[in-house]
């Protein structure tokens, strides 16, 4: 197998890791005003992702870096053509991350409320825009002979792109609701389970329409198999959620997102950015790749360091595996003495 194909697959795996892990982070933030009824419940929701959100975010940094090193032409065209939506995602992630770090700094309801909205908006924005971006990457965008994107922001806001945004937002919200049900107990757990059931139906309908559209437009046999398995995994996850089996439900939505993202990359291959102007202008794994020497060095670095990163992240999830309840949250008057959310005992 050529190293260009290997690195295309590795980048796909990095994006799968990002969306499956950061996806439930986004979902928790998106559902904060719906699932939490008081300050202690809001603290519970923050603490479900407190120990892991920053580790989950590393996946997108590595994916971006790997794209830059392995496929510099892809990186250049993507980040110049999609500059505004990617900038909005970056700003949203920064604001969202500040919410985790600064919310507990002052014992003031208005202060905490402002940072709650930072978390909510900072979760909704990338949840929608990532779907818009990937729908356009797979379906194709106008690219000229110089490998330059010739469209505008409104080019990306087409029906398929907007549907992609709705799909990612609804899937992440469902994934996040199930994660809250898995990590909590008491009223918030049952509330999250009910919310997941409602959101899951919406996500399933939107996702099926989106995957059929992509498959008809640019799909392959491999992508069709991945999409069908993704749909089955979502159904299985929703059934498990209805039966109160949150662990299996989380595996179901996790697998759904993994297979759906994998299906998009399978539908994309061997292109990395198809051109709707002329197929001859499309960026592929061949004409967008770095030199063979660069890919060879990167492969050895990945072989050495990837297992270390995976073991560390798995260890983190194991350490913070216990459920959280309002009983673990101090009274409001004690908040000024709290350590950051990720250091609280689970």
């Amino acid at each position: 197998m050529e190293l260009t194909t290997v690195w295309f697959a590795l980048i796909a795996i990095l994006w799968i890791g990002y969306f499956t892990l950061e996806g439930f982070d986004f979902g928790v933030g998106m559902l904060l005003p719906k699932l939490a009824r008081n300050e202690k419940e809001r603290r519970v929701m923050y603490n479900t992702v407190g120990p892991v959100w920053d580790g989950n975010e590393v996946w997108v940094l590595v994916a971006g870096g790997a794209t830059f090193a392995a496929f510099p032409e892809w990186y250049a065209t993507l980040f110049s053509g999609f500059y505004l939506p990617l900038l909005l995602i970056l700003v949203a992630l920064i604001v969202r991350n500040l919410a985790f770090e600064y919310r507990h700094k002052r014992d003031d309801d208005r202060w905490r409320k402002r940072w709650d909205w930072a978390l909510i908006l900072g979760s909704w924005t990338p949840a929608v825009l990532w779907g818009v971006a990937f729908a356009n990457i797979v379906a194709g965008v106008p690219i000229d002979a110089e490998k330059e994107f010739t469209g505008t922001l409104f080019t990306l806001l087409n029906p398929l792109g907007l549907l992609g945004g709705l799909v990612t937002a609804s899937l992440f919200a469902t994934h996040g609701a199930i994660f809250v049900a898995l990590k909590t107990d008491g009223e918030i757990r049952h509330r999250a389970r009910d919310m997941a059931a409602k959101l899951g139906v919406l996500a399933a309908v939107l996702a099926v329409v989106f995957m059929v559209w992509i498959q008809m437009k640019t799909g392959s046999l491999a992508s069709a198999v991945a999409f069908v398995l993704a749909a089955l995994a979502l159904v299985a996850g929703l059934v498990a959620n209805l039966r109160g089996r949150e662990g299996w439900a989380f595996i179901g939505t996790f697998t759904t997102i993994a297979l759906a993202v994998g299906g998009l990359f399978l539908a994309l291959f061997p292109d990395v950015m198809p051109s709707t102007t002329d197929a001859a202008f499309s960026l592929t794994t061949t004409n967008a790749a770095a030199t063979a020497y660069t890919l060879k060095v990167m492969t050895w670095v990945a072989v050495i360091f990837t297992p270390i990163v995976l073991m560390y992240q798995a260890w983190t999830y194991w350490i913070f595996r216990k459920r959280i309840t309002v009983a673990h949250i101090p009274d409001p008057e004690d908040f000024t003495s709290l350590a950051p959310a990720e250091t609280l005992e689970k």
Side-chain angles (χ1 to χ4, degrees):
M1 183 182 295
E2 295 183 0
L3 286 180
T4 54
T5 303
V6 170
W7 273 98
F8 180 86
L10 288 175
I11 288 170
I13 291 171
L14 289 171
W15 281 108
I16 288 171
Y18 176 64
F19 286 131
T20 53
L21 297 175
E22 188 85 319
F24 69 74
D25 283 356
F26 289 148
V28 172
M30 293 160 70
L31 297 177
L32 181 68
K34 293 294 184 181
L35 296 182
R37 302 290 173 82
N38 53 55
E39 178 58 23
K40 283 196 173 186
E41 290 186 346
R42 284 188 285 273
R43 288 290 303 180
V44 165
M45 290 190 65
Y46 271 92
N47 279 277
T48 60
V49 294
V52 296
W53 68 266
D54 45 358
N56 294 343
E57 208 161 84
V58 169
W59 288 81
V60 71
L61 301 178
V62 180
T67 303
F68 173 76
F71 300 100
E73 294 286 356
W74 183 13
Y75 182 94
T77 304
L78 175 63
F79 278 77
S80 60
F82 290 47
Y83 178 80
L84 186 54
L86 292 177
L87 177 63
L88 290 173
I89 290 173
L90 177 61
V91 171
L93 291 177
I94 292 172
V95 170
R96 173 177 170 270
N97 295 351
L98 289 174
F100 285 107
E101 299 294 339
Y102 282 89
R103 185 184 189 274
H104 69 281
K105 296 293 186 181
R106 287 174 56 181
D107 183 18
D108 180 78
D109 287 339
R110 288 194 299 176
W111 171 269
R112 289 191 287 265
K113 186 175 182 180
R114 288 167 184 163
W115 285 117
D116 286 343
W117 277 108
L119 178 72
I120 296 164
L121 295 176
S123 299
W124 272 100
T125 301
V128 173
L129 291 181
W130 278 129
V132 174
F134 267 83
N136 281 281
I137 290 171
V138 177
V141 291
I143 299 173
D144 63 17
E146 302 299 321
K147 300 178 181 178
E148 295 287 341
F149 175 77
T150 58
T152 66
L153 174 63
F154 296 103
T155 304
L156 305 179
L157 300 179
N158 54 73
L160 181 60
L162 294 174
L163 177 60
L166 293 175
V167 169
T168 50
S170 58
L171 277 177
F172 292 164
T174 305
H175 197 37
I178 290 176
F179 181 75
V180 172
L182 176 64
K183 286 289 293 179
T184 62
D185 209 348
E187 292 184 12
I188 193 170
R189 175 185 179 185
H190 298 290
R191 208 176 295 144
R193 191 190 300 162
D194 293 340
M195 180 66 71
K198 297 173 183 176
L199 289 172
V201 174
L202 174 63
V205 173
L206 293 174
V208 167
V209 174
F210 176 73
M211 289 187 292
V212 169
W213 195 338
I214 287 288
Q215 183 62 30
M216 292 177 63
K217 190 174 184 66
T218 183
S220 62
L221 177 61
S223 65
V225 172
F227 289 151
V228 170
L229 293 176
L232 294 175
L234 181 56
V235 171
L238 295 178
V239 171
N241 177 69
L242 291 174
R243 295 180 177 179
R245 303 293 297 275
E246 292 100 343
W248 286 108
F250 183 75
I251 291 174
T253 52
F254 186 101
T255 304
T256 297
I257 296 172
L259 288 169
V261 176
L264 291 177
F265 275 91
L266 289 170
L268 180 61
F269 184 80
D271 292 332
V272 293
M273 279 193 79
S275 172
T276 56
T277 304
D278 189 324
F281 302 156
S282 296
L283 299 180
T284 69
T285 55
T286 302
N287 66 21
T291 64
Y293 177 77
T294 299
L295 295 176
K296 188 179 296 184
V297 172
M298 289 175 59
T299 302
W300 280 110
V301 171
V303 168
I304 295 170
F305 288 101
T306 301
I308 297 173
V309 174
L310 291 176
M311 287 189 292
Y312 171 76
Q313 191 155 30
W315 175 81
T316 303
Y317 277 91
W318 176 256
I319 291 296
F320 294 99
R321 66 189 183 277
K322 294 182 180 179
R323 291 184 183 270
I324 308 164
T325 70
V326 293
H328 296 109
I329 306 300
D331 292 328
E333 61 267 20
D334 297 327
F335 284 171
T336 53
S337 63
L338 286 179
E342 53 264 50
T343 64
L344 287 175
E345 180 181 356
K346 299 295 177 284

